[in-house]
Amino acid sequence: MNDPVLLINYAIVAIGLIIPVIAVYKSRISKLIPALAWLSVLLSAIGSTILLYNTMIKGPIQFYNGLLVHDSFTAFIWLGASLTAALSLLAAGEDPLIWESSPGYYSLLPFVLFGIFIITGANDALLILAAWLLVSVISYVYIALPPEKNSRAAAIRYIMIGAVATLFLAVWIAIDTALASQQGLGSFSLAPLTLDKISGLALATIIAALGFKTGIAPFHWWVPSVYGRADGRVVSIVAGVIKLGFIGLLAKITYALAGGTIVSMGTPILQSLQPATTLAYVFGILAVATMTYGNIAALTTKDLRALLSYSSIAQIGYILAALAALAYFSPRDATLANYAFAAIALQAVAYGLAKAPLFSLTSVETSQDRLRGLLSSNKIAGAAAGVLLFSLLGMPPMLGFWGKLYMFIAVAGFSILLVVAAMINSAISSAYYVKMARDIVSEGENETQVPKHIEAAVMLSAIIILAFGFIAPLIFSIPFP
Amino acid sequence: MEFTGTGLVVEPNASLMPWALIWGFSYLGAAILAILYFIGVKNEKIYGWGSVASIALSTIVSFMALGKVLGGQVIYAASSVTWVPWINIGIGVYLDGLGAIMAVIVSFLSLLIAIYSTEYMKGDWGVQRYFFFFTFFVASMLLLVTADNLVLMFIGWEGTGIASYALIGHWYTDEEEYWVGVPGRKAFGTPMYFEPSHSGVRALMFTRIGDVGLLIGMAALYLLTGTFSIPELAADTGWLATLASKGVLTALLLVFTLGALAKSAQFPFQEWLVTAMTGPTPVSALIHAATMVKAGVYFMLRMAPVFLLGASLPLVASQLQTYFVIIAGLGAITAFMMATMALVSNELKLILAYSTASQLGYMFIGVAAAGVLVSQAHEAAALGVVAGLSHLMSHAIFKAALFLIAGWLIHAAHSRFIDYMGEYAKYMKVTAIAMWLAGLSLMAIPPLSGFFSKELTLKAAEEAHLVWVYALGVITAGLTAAYTLRMILRVMHLPPKKEGHGHPHEAPILMLAPYTLLAILALVIGLAWTWVYPELAKGISETLGIALAVDAVKELYQVSIAATGTIITLGWVAVNFIAVAAIYLALRVDFDSILEKNTIARAIHDFLFDRWYINALIYIVIVGGFAGLSMILAGIDHVIDLAYHAAIPAVFALGAAGLRALHRGKTDYYLMLYMYFVSIILLVLYIIWG
């Protein structure tokens, strides 16, 4: 109870609750509201850093009698989400204050960060459901917050499909409970897949649920529609911050389904390695479908927001490739499973850090070629946006490169076909990333005028990505689970 | 004959400083220029001479390193802190014969080209950006050639790619004067003219495909060996046997080599280099002649000895042989194909670009020949590596000279087309002499350096019994003489075909001096070759671990003008030389009227002029295919979007109406529905549970 990480989380929740109360008196103290949101982000960054340090020194740490278990992987994801939240908040500036719903924008952010702490650490199916509902509802509200028609329309779509996804999660929880009992584990423990047919249903439902949340093909159809239409300032939170939480959850569940948790506990009661292999192949196929769809769809689109949406799908495809390796190696080889964890963590955080400010940038104008002439109108924003694009492309020594390197190391041990697919896709993606980079240096007829707060967010993001490119490899010297 | 080399150093034997300054000074220079740019400093002299100063410092350290290496010491400098402890990646510098020579070539040529650039780029609207990327490029290239591990090398590798992209697209405003190709010309509907911004994207795209292959190869090697360290990979080559036993050695090495093939513009990646000529000419000299395109060859030279040392098992040797035969084949095809294109080109830089890719093909032939007969003849292996490196060195010098000369000629003619150039020897005698010296070296005429280095590559192919590769190499040597002589005659001695607005005169000293010095170097190196090179080559192979006994080496690395192979090649070169001289000087053949009247001649000309239609094929099949697929997917999304807007609301509206109709306000009716659906769910679960 006295753990500093928990205390920090209680403080974050308290801030989330205080903001709406203060908002009643907003005419006099409105500046305090963003300040409090900033405080919650700062606390979250401090908490995640403490947690990361402790997990690196001591290994996995339990909270609430093991209901919540964090390791350096989940701590890094939480840290990445905190930094991404800071970038989103910085990029939004004080713009949301003029929205009618402004208290919502600021008060929900602390809950998002708290939710990510819970959802990535949850070691119990019911707790996963609770955190899922918290974070999901907030993400729907965020999309609906900006006072314009497109965002509202996007939110309705998002909610409709989200509700179905939640239903699938509930079904998975029911089956998981049955599997856990069958295997003599705790009631709502995360049980590994077995050779029983019911495991197939469990797999289908959890992929349907998390596939929706993270934008995995063929559950991704909403992504261009929501990311591409809603206001960039809120999309940056949903696509950047919240998605990191779900990626963390997906990795954790994958590890458990493949039997990694049980094997790492030294009780090899797995019936067979076959379920883990099947899971790996399912993820492998989905990875190829997702990255190929995202990259090819992004090739010819001229709308920056749509392009970022499609490339988000492609990025999830790469993460899925690492997840496939994670599934395969979890019960087999701890070292390679750890490389897969490193790939997921680095790739996901690099994605979040780059996408949050880029989506915010799309809120600047309504022109399609929004990045055109950015360098000539704003040197800092132009150069920084270039760094973000090259990180997404996997250029060294930026953070995205390390994600790709670990991904290729892990996947090369699992499937050469998946490696080749990732290689081809990576090459295809260069076409649109480089085209975007060309737009940045081109001269635009209407040069993009970037507000100071967005310029600061893009620049800060580039600095973090470069700094992490040098520091993150040092961090990842300790095995995760 | 066995390898006697024991020069491999696996453990660090020096501290990181001062050797990391080889790239450190240039990176520092680039960082300072970037800061100056962002704080708004405009003075172009600060950028130009800042760049020159930082590269000069790198050059000094490079020469210091070469001095030590030639003294017999391999420098392996590493930091005490490991950067990525988990996968054991440190920051280290490995300077053996290959690394030290490459560092000197890169830094020294970059220095000369930077000095040339201070004059060439004077008054350019993007001069600050130019010098930043120029310096950043040099630093990355130096990191690439001195890195002790594959990851660090890859960082340099990608750095050169980004800088190259930025410099090719330097004039991104895309005015017609900066294009490559004849405006309006198309092949099968595909434009054959390219703007700078488009060319930059092409360069990055083409090379990126290979780069990902390299990254995958690195990852796979790490999985097998647990190390990214280059010396460690060379010291323990058991991983080759592992791969060979699974039958995947050839395939993996080919994926691993994709990066090298793309970077060095070898078939089928040659297209990017051609259109990269939209960049400022010093960039073409630096990146697309002297350094970056050599990165692929360097990579092959760096890895080939590793492969050779592991080829003791027959299984490994046979799969290595297949791999090297493929590489040699690609080199030979590129050499020949690009030379044929150069024959008909009417753009000065384009001729040189074709020539560069063609000459890079020779380097690949040399290195690949090393591997073909490694299990039977180690002397052929050692010769191949040395031949590849020799041609890399001599080509870097004479081609940089030719590009720098071209930069001045294009400036003087106010046109990139040779049709507007002519009789320049009258106005610029020193430049003409320099062009002849560098051109003769390219033509492989003795005693210039190009003759010796090209002969060594052909000798390696001959020793390896690569008959058709050797034959293509010899044929290409003749074609090289033909297009080079045509270029020199038309630009320097014959009257211009078209009236231009040029004002030919001798170049300013800061431009004249670098290319004259390089041209003289091509001659001096050639003159000293017989006495100096065998000893140098022996030293280099010693540090690479593939040295041979002293007596064998002296003969092996010599190029004898009386050898049958050499006589054949020189004879063929002479035939081409005389033919071109006769066509242009004596017969004064009017090619324009021939092309106008003769459809077969025009078809051949168009085939060569439009680059064997490969560019059109790539655009129609690959780019068009992906674009079509992309549009189909966008269409699907549009349909789904419409569904969201129209179909789903309509279905729900109908459904709602239907469901409302079910609500009849009777409790027993609700209970019946409830039980009905619960039964269905139970039934489904029962079936699944089995």
Side-chain angles (χ1 to χ4, degrees), chain A residues 207 215-218 279-295 313-325 407 411 414-415 417-419 421-422 425:
Chain A
I207 288 176
I216 295 169
L279 181 61
Y281 281 113
V282 169
F283 276 159
I285 292 163
L286 291 176
V288 176
T290 306
M291 63 178 86
T292 308
Y293 180 92
N295 280 324
I313 296 171
Q315 292 287 338
I316 292 300
Y318 301 130
I319 291 171
L320 259 181
L323 276 163
M407 189 262 281
V411 177
F414 161 56
S415 162
L417 285 176
L418 190 52
V419 169
N425 269 282

Side-chain angles (χ1 to χ4, degrees), chain A residues 157 161 197-198 221 225 229 293 296 300 310 338-339 393 413 419 423 430-431 438 441 470 474 476, chain B residues 83-84 86 154-155 158 165 172-173 197 204-205 208 216 222-223 629-630 637 640-641 644-645 688-689:
Chain A
R157 276 166 233 162
I161 309 171
K197 278 185 182 173
I198 193 75
W221 306 104
S225 203
R229 281 174 178 266
Y293 180 92
I296 291 182
T300 52
Y310 288 124
N338 271 306
Y339 288 154
L393 189 53
V419 169
M423 177 179 91
S430 355
R438 186 179 71 164
V441 296
F470 286 100
L474 278 170
F476 287 98
Chain B
W83 185 18
V84 195
W86 201 13
F154 190 73
I155 291 173
E158 294 287 65
Y165 159 71
Y172 57 74
T173 41
S197 58
L204 203 55
M205 274 292 298
R208 185 77 195 143
I216 289 169
Y222 177 77
L223 266 185
L629 199 53
S630 180
D637 269 351
I640 287 165
D641 213 31
Y644 275 126
H645 279 105
I688 294 170
W689 200 279

Side-chain angles (χ1 to χ4, degrees), chain A residues 119 122 124-136 140 161-177 188 190 201-213 246 249-250 253 257:
Chain A
I119 206 165
D124 176 283
L126 278 186
L127 193 60
I128 288 175
L129 180 64
W132 173 287
L133 290 172
L134 173 71
V135 178
S136 296
Y140 306 145
I161 309 171
V164 180
T166 304
L167 192 66
F168 280 121
L169 184 82
V171 176
W172 171 71
I173 288 171
I175 302 169
D176 175 72
T177 308
F188 292 101
L190 305 181
L201 186 63
L203 185 57
T205 51
I206 192 64
I207 288 176
L210 278 164
F212 161 75
K213 285 291 178 195
F246 286 114
L249 175 65
L250 181 56
I253 289 180
L257 291 181

Side-chain angles (χ1 to χ4, degrees), chain B residues 104-123:
Chain B
V104 165
I105 292 172
V106 171
S107 57
F108 177 64
L109 290 178
S110 303
L111 178 63
L112 290 182
I113 298 167
I115 293 168
Y116 177 97
S117 297
T118 57
E119 185 70 36
Y120 184 90
M121 297 301 288
K122 204 182 261 180

Side-chain angles (χ1 to χ4, degrees), chain A residues 113-466:
Chain A
L113 295 169
F114 173 70
I116 288 173
F117 172 72
I118 300 292
I119 206 165
T120 52
N123 204 29
D124 176 283
L126 278 186
L127 193 60
I128 288 175
L129 180 64
W132 173 287
L133 290 172
L134 173 71
V135 178
S136 296
V137 170
I138 292 173
S139 64
Y140 306 145
V141 175
Y142 260 121
I143 292 294
L145 271 179
E148 44 101 19
K149 205 175 128 193
N150 276 338
S151 291
R152 300 268 154 86
I156 289 167
R157 276 166 233 162
Y158 195 26
I159 292 166
M160 275 168 61
I161 309 171
V164 180
T166 304
L167 192 66
F168 280 121
L169 184 82
V171 176
W172 171 71
I173 288 171
I175 302 169
D176 175 72
T177 308
L179 286 172
S181 305
Q182 205 178 36
Q183 295 174 45
L185 303 170
S187 304
F188 292 101
S189 299
L190 305 181
L193 295 173
T194 65
L195 294 169
D196 295 342
K197 278 185 182 173
I198 193 75
S199 279
L201 186 63
L203 185 57
T205 51
I206 192 64
I207 288 176
L210 278 164
F212 161 75
K213 285 291 178 195
T214 51
I216 295 169
F219 311 105
H220 66 285
W221 306 104
W222 61 276
V223 175
S225 203
V226 174
Y227 291 3
R229 281 174 178 266
D231 189 294
R233 284 163 292 199
V234 291
V235 172
S236 82
I237 292 178
V238 176
V241 188
I242 294 176
K243 195 184 261 188
L244 282 186
F246 286 114
I247 292 171
L249 175 65
L250 181 56
K252 194 154 187 163
I253 289 180
T254 302
Y255 186 63
L257 291 181
T261 314
I262 286 180
V263 172
S264 68
M265 282 160 58
T267 50
I269 56 167
L270 287 179
Q271 291 174 15
S272 154
L273 293 176
Q274 188 54 44
T277 309
T278 308
L279 181 61
Y281 281 113
V282 169
F283 276 159
I285 292 163
L286 291 176
V288 176
T290 306
M291 63 178 86
T292 308
Y293 180 92
N295 280 324
I296 291 182
L299 266 184
T300 52
T301 184
K302 286 190 178 141
D303 181 77
L304 178 62
R305 221 183 288 182
L307 194 149
L308 290 174
S309 309
Y310 288 124
S311 79
S312 295
I313 296 171
Q315 292 287 338
I316 292 300
Y318 301 130
I319 291 171
L320 259 181
L323 276 163
L326 177 66
Y328 188 78
F329 290 118
S330 289
R332 291 178 168 93
D333 188 319
T335 307
L336 286 169
N338 271 306
Y339 288 154
F341 267 123
I344 297 161
L346 291 166
Q347 190 87 11
V349 172
Y351 158 83
L353 289 172
K355 280 293 168 77
L358 285 174
F359 271 117
S360 299
L361 202 55
T362 65
S363 63
V364 175
E365 283 180 10
T366 51
S367 149
Q368 285 201 322
D369 294 328
R370 289 178 187 83
L371 294 182
R372 184 165 280 274
L374 188 59
L375 190 70
S376 54
S377 68
N378 189 320
K379 280 180 194 164
I380 291 174
V387 170
L388 304 189
L389 294 177
F390 283 123
S391 174
L392 286 169
L393 189 53
M395 287 274 186
M398 286 160 262
L399 190 58
F401 164 70
W402 296 107
K404 281 249 168 48
L405 179 65
Y406 279 112
M407 189 262 281
F408 280 125
I409 291 177
V411 177
F414 161 56
S415 162
I416 206 72
L417 285 176
L418 190 52
V419 169
V420 172
M423 177 179 91
I424 294 168
N425 269 282
S426 200
I428 295 170
S429 71
S430 355
Y432 58 83
Y433 282 128
V434 174
K435 246 162 55 183
M436 268 201 272
R438 186 179 71 164
D439 279 347
I440 290 175
V441 296
S442 301
E443 284 195 335
E445 284 178 13
N446 301 309
E447 289 185 340
T448 311
Q449 295 303 320
V450 180
K452 282 282 166 206
H453 47 91
I454 293 186
E455 176 194 306
V458 178
M459 185 180 70
L460 183 63
S461 172
I463 291 170
I464 294 173
I465 278 174
L466 276 169

Side-chain angles (χ1 to χ4, degrees), chain B residues 7-16 19 72-78 93-95:
Chain B
L8 283 177
V9 175
V10 182
E11 291 298 323
N13 59 10
S15 62
L16 201 58
W19 309 114
Q73 187 194 337
V74 172
I75 301 167
Y76 185 2
V93 174
Y94 192 75
L95 292 158

